[in-house]
Amino acid sequence: MKTAPDRIELMQTFVRIVEAGSLSAAALQMGATQPTVSRRLQALERSLGLRLLQRSTHAMKLTEEGQRCFARAKELLGNWQAFEADLRGATDMPEGTLRVVVPHAIGQQELVAPLAEYLRRYPRVAVEWLLHDRTPEFIAGGIDCAVHVGAVDDPSVVAVKIAEVPRIVVAAPSVLGDAPLPAHASELAGLPWLAFRTFYRNDITLIHAQGEQHRLPIQPRMSTDSLFALRNAALLGLGVCVASAWAVADDVAQGTLLHLTPQWHAAPLPIYLLYPYAHFYPAKLRRFVEVLRAALPEDIGQPPSP
């Protein structure tokens, strides 16, 4: 006689539903039928006396109670897995699916090699590599961790600094024409500018190698929130910009962009790995943090010393 699912199994099903995005997707991943998954969800809701999901024909959304339940369920399941592993003396081998949110530009270029190293090292893990430039809703989105470029002001998340991005001033040779290369930050004021509105819009502060700072007001001809669009606009000669060194390193090496005022640079941007606070973190997340910190240089794309 088949016994009813226990609460651990009900919670596992609920977490899988949220992470998969639908009952049908969860059923497919679990090798079960959709009615079975639906019955388990209903059984969990009855046992708790709470409505966890609001479902319509086209969408599924966590209720406020469902968000709290999802966070606690992941924590409880993680603790249970650790308990089982401890009793069995099992190795702490990462497995399962890791859902990571990364910024579009750096997530397509600089972080793919560390990701590949992680996947090679831990073959029992699969990764969902999601490109978004905003910090995600970890619980509602079923996200394990996120890479964030820039300052972090959210006290509800763990922020592990993994690297920094140097930023330099560049422009196409056509922007200068026959004029000599500027040496001081103040000499950039008369040139056309491009703004990377995520980090600067109407002014930019440049820092000399010896520590002097100069605030430069600008009137950008073009503003964008895309690092790739900024680079392409600079390559087309539309103006001067401050860009991440890694994004323009090849262009500077080839001479299609000039590194202006090489003694002056913008403050580097910190890169953080973010994840929610919990009493237990699964091996797949802990090992990902380790691989990312080890694989990335301290300064990504650091230009040569002037």
Side-chain angles (χ1 to χ4, degrees), residues 143-154:
I143 303 301
D144 292 293
C145 61
V147 174
H148 176 84
V149 179
V152 177
D153 54 11
D154 184 355

Side-chain angles (χ1 to χ4, degrees), residues 57-101:
T57 306
H58 303 292
M60 182 188 78
K61 183 179 179 181
L62 281 168
T63 63
E64 185 177 342
E65 293 81 6
Q67 291 185 13
R68 293 201 303 269
C69 179
F70 178 67
R72 292 300 304 276
K74 288 196 73 171
E75 182 180 338
L76 288 168
L77 291 173
N79 288 333
W80 179 258
Q81 291 167 0
F83 169 71
E84 287 185 323
D86 182 60
L87 287 181
R88 294 171 181 168
T91 58
D92 197 15
M93 177 60 67
E95 60 182 354
T97 299
L98 185 74
R99 303 191 79 222
V100 187
V101 168

Side-chain angles (χ1 to χ4, degrees), residues 158-163 271-275 289 293:
V158 178
V160 179
K161 187 176 179 181
I162 54 177
I271 304 178
Y272 292 96
L273 189 68
L274 310 180
Y275 48 89
V289 176
R293 295 184 77 174

Side-chain angles (χ1 to χ4, degrees), residues 139-210:
I139 294 175
I143 303 301
D144 292 293
C145 61
V147 174
H148 176 84
V149 179
V152 177
D153 54 11
D154 184 355
S156 68
V157 297
V158 178
V160 179
K161 187 176 179 181
I162 54 177
E164 284 191 337
V165 179
R167 294 188 295 163
I168 61 176
V169 184
V170 296
S174 60
V175 173
L176 295 180
D178 296 328
L181 286 172
H184 193 278
S186 60
E187 298 174 40
L188 300 169
L191 297 173
W193 269 82
L194 309 171
F196 188 21
R197 58 187 297 113
T198 307
F199 300 110
Y200 70 92
R201 300 190 181 195
N202 299 312
D203 64 82
I204 181 73
T205 297
L206 299 178
I207 305 169
H208 191 268
Q210 300 300 319

